[in-house]
Amino acid sequence: MQYQTYGQYKSANTLKKLIVCTKSGSISFISDAYGGAASDRFITEDCGVVSKFKRNMVALVDRGFSVQDIFLAYHVTVAIPPFTKGKTHFTKVQVEQAKTISRARIHVERAIGRLKEFKLLSHELPLNMLDLADYIWIIAGAITNLQPSPVIE
């Protein structure tokens, strides 16, 4: 069990979840927990999140989240912030694209930040509570959605 939860990114035993937010910042999907060794791609394929999207929708994902082909099969566009790697400057189009994505991304970051305010989610979960992890996250997500949305200017 321990080898399944060990994640290289944090160099610790972790659980991973895929969280989807609406463009207004409400949490609309929380996947089951996966061990820290599970790849983002595997989680995206396995949890069935892609089927929640309708044709011609846009999915905003982080850099390095290589899932475009999975969404393409459902006619869903994947928006990824532009990379600066190997470039000194963005083109004007890339700057506008980055601004648009950043304005949407702030809602996701704030929703995840509100989730992390729950001490139970931001601290180590005792092993005897591991089977409750998915329920804890669902309840925390529901409570987060009931909170007033932060005002964004």
Side-chain angles (χ1 to χ4, degrees), residues 2 32 37 53 112 153:
Q2 206 167 10
D32 289 343
F53 286 80
I112 292 171
E153 298 178 26

Side-chain angles (χ1 to χ4, degrees), residues 5 21 27 30 35 62 82-83 86-87 111 116 124 130 142 146 150:
T5 60
C21 295
I27 297 167
I30 300 175
D62 279 337
F83 292 81
K87 303 174 191 169
K116 288 180 177 179
E124 286 185 20
L130 197 56
L146 291 172

